[in-house]
Amino acid sequence: MTTDCTYCGSDVYEHDALFVAEQRGDERERAGQFCNYACLSAHIDEENLVEGTCCTLDR
C-alpha cells in the first residue's frame, strides 16, 4: 500500500495524516489519504466534491 497523499503526493506519515473511507454496501472502502486538513480541503475544492452531496447519519 502506498503512503502518498491523494492530493499532493507527499508521504502522509510525515504529517498529520487523515484517511477517508466511503460506505459501499456493508463495507467501508478507503477513498483517499491526506497529509493534513489543508490537502483534504484543497482536494475537495478542486474536485468539486461538495456539489450534489448530502450527509446521512446512521441511527
Side-chain angles (χ1 to χ4, degrees):
M1 176 187 345
T2 181
T3 61
D4 294 346
C5 175
T6 301
Y7 179 71
C8 75
S10 295
D11 185 347
V12 297
Y13 291 111
E14 292 180 6
H15 306 278
D16 295 323
L18 300 166
F19 299 91
V20 177
E22 293 180 347
Q23 190 75 29
R24 305 266 189 217
D26 292 335
E27 302 292 320
R28 295 186 70 76
E29 294 181 8
R30 186 175 279 185
Q33 55 193 19
F34 301 89
C35 294
N36 52 41
Y37 286 104
C39 281
L40 174 59
S41 178
H43 175 73
I44 290 168
D45 290 344
E46 286 187 11
E47 297 295 321
N48 201 26
L49 298 176
V50 176
E51 295 297 316
T53 304
C54 66
C55 297
T56 59
L57 300 173
D58 295 333
R59 294 184 184 224

Coordinates of all heavy atoms in Angstrom, one line a residue:
M1 N 0.8 -1.2 0.0 CA 0.0 0.0 0.0 C 0.9 1.2 0.0 O 1.8 1.3 0.7 CB -0.9 0.0 1.2 CG -1.7 1.2 1.3 SD -2.8 1.5 2.8 CE -2.9 0.0 3.6
T2 N 0.5 2.2 -0.8 CA 1.3 3.4 -0.9 C 0.9 4.4 0.2 O -0.2 4.3 0.8 CB 1.0 4.1 -2.3 OG1 1.8 5.3 -2.3 CG2 -0.4 4.4 -2.5
T3 N 1.9 5.2 0.6 CA 1.6 6.2 1.7 C 1.6 7.6 1.1 O 1.7 8.5 1.9 CB 2.7 6.1 2.8 OG1 4.0 6.3 2.2 CG2 2.6 4.7 3.4
D4 N 1.4 7.7 -0.2 CA 1.4 9.0 -0.8 C 0.0 9.7 -0.6 O -1.0 9.1 -0.7 CB 1.5 8.9 -2.4 CG 2.9 8.4 -2.7 OD1 3.8 8.4 -1.9 OD2 3.1 8.0 -3.9
C5 N 0.1 11.0 -0.3 CA -1.1 11.8 -0.2 C -1.9 11.8 -1.5 O -1.3 12.0 -2.6 CB -0.7 13.3 0.2 SG -2.1 14.4 0.3
T6 N -3.2 11.7 -1.4 CA -4.0 11.7 -2.6 C -3.9 13.0 -3.3 O -4.0 13.1 -4.5 CB -5.5 11.4 -2.2 OG1 -5.5 10.1 -1.5 CG2 -6.4 11.4 -3.4
Y7 N -3.7 14.1 -2.6 CA -3.7 15.4 -3.2 C -2.3 15.8 -3.6 O -2.1 16.2 -4.8 CB -4.2 16.5 -2.2 CG -4.2 17.9 -2.8 CD1 -5.1 18.2 -3.8 CD2 -3.3 18.8 -2.3 CE1 -5.1 19.5 -4.3 CE2 -3.3 20.1 -2.9 CZ -4.2 20.4 -3.9 OH -4.1 21.7 -4.4
C8 N -1.3 15.8 -2.8 CA 0.0 16.4 -3.1 C 1.1 15.4 -3.4 O 2.2 15.7 -3.8 CB 0.4 17.4 -2.1 SG 1.0 16.6 -0.5
G9 N 0.9 14.1 -3.0 CA 1.9 13.1 -3.3 C 2.9 12.9 -2.2 O 3.7 12.0 -2.3
S10 N 2.9 13.7 -1.1 CA 3.8 13.6 0.0 C 3.5 12.3 0.8 O 2.4 11.9 0.8 CB 3.8 14.8 0.9 OG 4.3 15.9 0.2
D11 N 4.5 11.9 1.6 CA 4.2 10.7 2.5 C 3.3 11.2 3.6 O 3.7 12.1 4.4 CB 5.6 10.2 3.0 CG 5.4 9.0 3.9 OD1 4.3 8.6 4.3 OD2 6.5 8.4 4.2
V12 N 2.2 10.6 3.7 CA 1.2 11.1 4.7 C 1.7 10.9 6.2 O 1.3 11.6 7.1 CB -0.2 10.4 4.6 CG1 -0.8 10.8 3.3 CG2 -0.1 8.9 4.7
Y13 N 2.6 9.9 6.4 CA 3.1 9.6 7.7 C 4.1 10.6 8.2 O 4.5 10.5 9.3 CB 3.6 8.2 7.8 CG 2.4 7.2 7.7 CD1 2.3 6.4 6.5 CD2 1.4 7.1 8.6 CE1 1.2 5.5 6.4 CE2 0.4 6.2 8.5 CZ 0.3 5.4 7.4 OH -0.8 4.6 7.3
E14 N 4.5 11.5 7.3 CA 5.5 12.6 7.8 C 4.7 13.8 8.2 O 5.3 14.8 8.6 CB 6.4 12.9 6.6 CG 7.4 11.9 6.2 CD 8.3 12.2 5.1 OE1 8.2 13.4 4.6 OE2 9.0 11.4 4.7
H15 N 3.4 13.7 8.2 CA 2.5 14.8 8.6 C 1.4 14.4 9.5 O 1.5 13.3 10.1 CB 1.9 15.5 7.3 CG 3.0 15.8 6.3 ND1 3.7 17.0 6.4 CD2 3.4 15.2 5.2 CE1 4.6 17.0 5.4 NE2 4.4 15.9 4.7
D16 N 0.3 15.1 9.7 CA -0.8 14.8 10.5 C -1.9 14.1 9.6 O -2.8 14.6 9.1 CB -1.5 16.0 11.1 CG -0.6 16.7 12.1 OD1 0.2 15.9 12.8 OD2 -0.6 17.9 12.2
A17 N -1.6 12.8 9.3 CA -2.4 12.0 8.3 C -3.9 11.9 8.6 O -4.3 11.8 9.8 CB -1.8 10.6 8.2
L18 N -4.7 12.0 7.5 CA -6.1 11.8 7.6 C -6.5 10.7 6.5 O -5.9 10.7 5.4 CB -6.9 13.1 7.2 CG -6.6 14.3 8.0 CD1 -7.2 15.5 7.3 CD2 -7.4 14.1 9.3
F19 N -7.4 9.8 6.9 CA -7.8 8.8 6.0 C -9.3 8.9 5.8 O -10.1 9.1 6.7 CB -7.4 7.4 6.5 CG -5.9 7.3 6.7 CD1 -5.3 7.6 7.9 CD2 -5.2 6.8 5.7 CE1 -4.0 7.5 8.0 CE2 -3.8 6.7 5.8 CZ -3.2 7.1 7.0
V20 N -9.8 8.8 4.5 CA -11.2 9.0 4.2 C -11.7 7.6 3.7 O -11.0 7.0 2.9 CB -11.4 10.0 3.1 CG1 -12.8 10.2 2.7 CG2 -10.8 11.4 3.6
A21 N -12.9 7.2 4.1 CA -13.5 6.0 3.7 C -14.9 6.2 3.2 O -15.5 7.2 3.7 CB -13.5 4.9 4.8
E22 N -15.4 5.4 2.3 CA -16.7 5.5 1.8 C -17.5 4.2 2.1 O -16.9 3.1 2.0 CB -16.8 5.8 0.3 CG -16.2 7.2 0.0 CD -16.3 7.5 -1.5 OE1 -16.5 6.5 -2.3 OE2 -16.1 8.6 -1.9
Q23 N -18.7 4.3 2.4 CA -19.6 3.1 2.6 C -19.9 2.5 1.2 O -20.4 3.2 0.4 CB -20.8 3.5 3.4 CG -21.6 2.3 3.8 CD -21.0 1.6 5.0 OE1 -20.3 2.3 5.8 NE2 -21.2 0.4 5.2
R24 N -19.7 1.3 1.0 CA -20.0 0.5 -0.2 C -20.8 -0.7 0.3 O -20.2 -1.7 0.7 CB -18.8 0.1 -1.0 CG -17.9 1.2 -1.3 CD -18.2 1.8 -2.7 NE -17.1 2.7 -3.1 CZ -17.4 3.8 -3.7 NH1 -18.6 4.1 -4.1 NH2 -16.4 4.6 -4.1
G25 N -22.1 -0.7 0.2 CA -22.9 -1.8 0.8 C -22.7 -1.9 2.3 O -22.9 -0.9 3.0
D26 N -22.2 -3.0 2.7 CA -22.0 -3.3 4.1 C -20.5 -3.0 4.5 O -20.2 -3.1 5.7 CB -22.3 -4.7 4.5 CG -23.8 -5.0 4.5 OD1 -24.6 -4.0 4.6 OD2 -24.2 -6.1 4.3
E27 N -19.7 -2.7 3.6 CA -18.3 -2.5 3.8 C -17.9 -1.0 3.7 O -18.5 -0.3 3.0 CB -17.5 -3.3 2.8 CG -17.8 -4.8 2.9 CD -17.3 -5.4 4.2 OE1 -16.2 -5.1 4.7 OE2 -18.0 -6.3 4.7
R28 N -16.8 -0.6 4.3 CA -16.2 0.7 4.1 C -14.9 0.5 3.3 O -14.1 -0.4 3.7 CB -15.9 1.3 5.5 CG -17.2 1.6 6.2 CD -16.9 2.4 7.5 NE -16.5 3.8 7.3 CZ -17.3 4.8 6.9 NH1 -18.5 4.6 6.6 NH2 -16.8 6.0 6.7
E29 N -14.7 1.3 2.3 CA -13.5 1.2 1.5 C -12.8 2.5 1.5 O -13.4 3.6 1.5 CB -13.9 1.0 0.0 CG -14.5 -0.4 -0.2 CD -14.9 -0.6 -1.7 OE1 -14.5 0.2 -2.5 OE2 -15.5 -1.6 -2.0
R30 N -11.4 2.5 1.6 CA -10.6 3.7 1.6 C -10.8 4.5 0.4 O -10.8 3.9 -0.7 CB -9.2 3.3 1.8 CG -8.3 4.5 2.0 CD -6.9 4.2 2.2 NE -6.7 3.8 3.6 CZ -5.6 3.6 4.2 NH1 -4.5 3.6 3.5 NH2 -5.5 3.3 5.5
A31 N -11.1 5.8 0.5 CA -11.3 6.6 -0.6 C -10.2 7.7 -0.8 O -10.3 8.4 -1.8 CB -12.7 7.3 -0.4
G32 N -9.3 7.8 0.1 CA -8.2 8.7 0.0 C -7.4 8.8 1.3 O -7.9 8.4 2.3
Q33 N -6.3 9.4 1.2 CA -5.4 9.7 2.3 C -4.7 11.0 2.1 O -4.3 11.3 1.0 CB -4.4 8.5 2.6 CG -3.6 8.2 1.4 CD -2.8 6.9 1.6 OE1 -3.2 6.1 2.4 NE2 -1.8 6.7 0.9
F34 N -4.6 11.8 3.2 CA -4.2 13.1 3.0 C -3.2 13.5 4.1 O -3.3 13.0 5.2 CB -5.3 14.1 3.1 CG -6.3 13.8 2.0 CD1 -7.4 12.9 2.2 CD2 -6.2 14.4 0.7 CE1 -8.3 12.6 1.2 CE2 -7.1 14.1 -0.3 CZ -8.1 13.2 -0.1
C35 N -2.2 14.4 3.8 CA -1.2 14.8 4.8 C -1.8 15.5 6.0 O -1.3 15.3 7.1 CB -0.2 15.8 4.1 SG 0.8 15.2 2.8
N36 N -2.8 16.3 5.7 CA -3.4 17.1 6.7 C -4.7 17.7 6.2 O -5.1 17.4 5.0 CB -2.5 18.3 7.1 CG -2.0 19.0 5.9 OD1 -2.8 19.3 5.0 ND2 -0.7 19.4 5.9
Y37 N -5.4 18.5 7.0 CA -6.7 19.0 6.6 C -6.6 20.0 5.4 O -7.5 20.1 4.6 CB -7.4 19.7 7.7 CG -8.0 18.8 8.7 CD1 -7.3 18.5 9.9 CD2 -9.1 18.1 8.5 CE1 -7.8 17.6 10.9 CE2 -9.6 17.2 9.4 CZ -9.0 17.0 10.6 OH -9.5 16.1 11.5
A38 N -5.5 20.6 5.2 CA -5.3 21.6 4.1 C -5.3 20.8 2.8 O -6.0 21.2 1.8 CB -4.0 22.3 4.2
C39 N -4.6 19.7 2.7 CA -4.7 18.9 1.5 C -6.1 18.3 1.2 O -6.5 18.3 0.1 CB -3.6 17.7 1.5 SG -1.9 18.3 1.2
L40 N -6.7 17.8 2.3 CA -8.1 17.3 2.1 C -9.0 18.4 1.6 O -9.8 18.2 0.7 CB -8.6 16.8 3.4 CG -10.1 16.3 3.5 CD1 -10.4 15.3 2.4 CD2 -10.4 15.9 4.9
S41 N -8.9 19.6 2.2 CA -9.8 20.7 1.8 C -9.5 21.1 0.3 O -10.4 21.4 -0.4 CB -9.5 21.9 2.7 OG -10.3 23.0 2.3
A42 N -8.2 21.2 0.0 CA -7.9 21.6 -1.4 C -8.4 20.5 -2.4 O -8.9 20.9 -3.5 CB -6.4 21.7 -1.5
H43 N -8.3 19.3 -2.0 CA -8.8 18.2 -2.9 C -10.3 18.3 -3.1 O -10.8 18.2 -4.2 CB -8.4 16.8 -2.3 CG -9.0 15.7 -3.0 ND1 -8.5 15.2 -4.2 CD2 -10.0 14.8 -2.7 CE1 -9.2 14.2 -4.6 NE2 -10.1 13.9 -3.7
I44 N -11.0 18.5 -2.0 CA -12.5 18.7 -2.0 C -12.9 19.9 -3.0 O -13.7 19.7 -3.8 CB -13.1 18.9 -0.6 CG1 -13.0 17.6 0.2 CG2 -14.5 19.4 -0.7 CD1 -13.2 17.8 1.7
D45 N -12.2 21.0 -2.8 CA -12.5 22.2 -3.7 C -12.2 21.9 -5.1 O -13.0 22.2 -6.0 CB -11.6 23.4 -3.2 CG -12.1 23.9 -1.8 OD1 -13.2 23.6 -1.4 OD2 -11.3 24.7 -1.2
E46 N -11.0 21.4 -5.4 CA -10.6 21.2 -6.8 C -11.4 20.1 -7.5 O -11.6 20.2 -8.7 CB -9.1 20.8 -6.9 CG -8.2 22.0 -6.6 CD -6.7 21.7 -6.8 OE1 -6.4 20.7 -7.4 OE2 -5.9 22.6 -6.4
E47 N -11.9 19.1 -6.8 CA -12.7 18.0 -7.4 C -14.2 18.3 -7.3 O -15.0 17.5 -7.8 CB -12.4 16.7 -6.7 CG -10.9 16.2 -6.9 CD -10.6 15.9 -8.3 OE1 -11.4 15.4 -9.0 OE2 -9.5 16.2 -8.7
N48 N -14.5 19.5 -6.7 CA -15.9 19.9 -6.6 C -16.8 18.8 -6.0 O -17.9 18.5 -6.4 CB -16.5 20.3 -8.0 CG -17.7 21.2 -7.9 OD1 -17.8 21.9 -6.8 ND2 -18.5 21.2 -8.9
L49 N -16.2 18.3 -4.9 CA -16.9 17.1 -4.2 C -18.1 17.5 -3.4 O -18.8 16.6 -2.9 CB -15.9 16.3 -3.4 CG -14.7 15.7 -4.2 CD1 -13.7 15.1 -3.3 CD2 -15.2 14.7 -5.2
V50 N -18.3 18.8 -3.2 CA -19.5 19.2 -2.3 C -20.8 19.2 -3.1 O -21.8 18.9 -2.6 CB -19.2 20.6 -1.7 CG1 -20.3 21.1 -0.9 CG2 -17.9 20.5 -0.8
E51 N -20.7 19.5 -4.4 CA -21.9 19.6 -5.2 C -22.6 18.3 -5.3 O -22.0 17.3 -5.6 CB -21.5 20.1 -6.7 CG -20.9 21.5 -6.7 CD -21.9 22.5 -6.3 OE1 -23.1 22.5 -6.7 OE2 -21.5 23.4 -5.5
G52 N -23.9 18.3 -5.0 CA -24.8 17.1 -5.1 C -24.6 16.1 -4.1 O -25.0 15.0 -4.2
T53 N -23.9 16.5 -3.0 CA -23.6 15.6 -1.9 C -24.4 15.9 -0.7 O -24.8 17.0 -0.4 CB -22.1 15.7 -1.5 OG1 -21.3 15.5 -2.7 CG2 -21.7 14.7 -0.5
C54 N -24.8 14.9 0.0 CA -25.5 15.0 1.3 C -25.0 14.1 2.3 O -24.5 13.0 2.0 CB -27.0 14.9 1.1 SG -27.5 13.2 0.7
C55 N -25.1 14.4 3.5 CA -24.7 13.5 4.6 C -25.9 12.8 5.2 O -27.0 13.3 5.2 CB -24.1 14.4 5.8 SG -22.6 15.3 5.3
T56 N -25.6 11.6 5.6 CA -26.6 10.8 6.3 C -26.0 10.3 7.6 O -24.8 10.1 7.8 CB -27.1 9.5 5.5 OG1 -25.9 8.7 5.3 CG2 -27.7 9.9 4.2
L57 N -26.9 10.2 8.6 CA -26.5 9.7 9.9 C -27.1 8.4 10.2 O -28.3 8.2 10.0 CB -26.9 10.7 11.0 CG -26.4 12.1 10.9 CD1 -27.0 13.0 12.0 CD2 -24.9 12.1 11.1
D58 N -26.2 7.4 10.6 CA -26.7 6.1 11.0 C -27.3 6.2 12.4 O -26.6 6.7 13.3 CB -25.6 5.1 10.9 CG -25.1 4.8 9.5 OD1 -25.9 5.1 8.6 OD2 -23.9 4.5 9.4
R59 N -28.5 5.8 12.6 CA -29.1 5.9 14.0 C -29.5 4.6 14.4 O -29.9 3.7 13.7 CB -30.2 6.9 14.0 CG -29.8 8.3 13.7 CD -30.9 9.2 13.9 NE -30.4 10.5 13.5 CZ -30.6 11.6 14.2 NH1 -31.4 11.5 15.3 NH2 -30.1 12.7 13.9

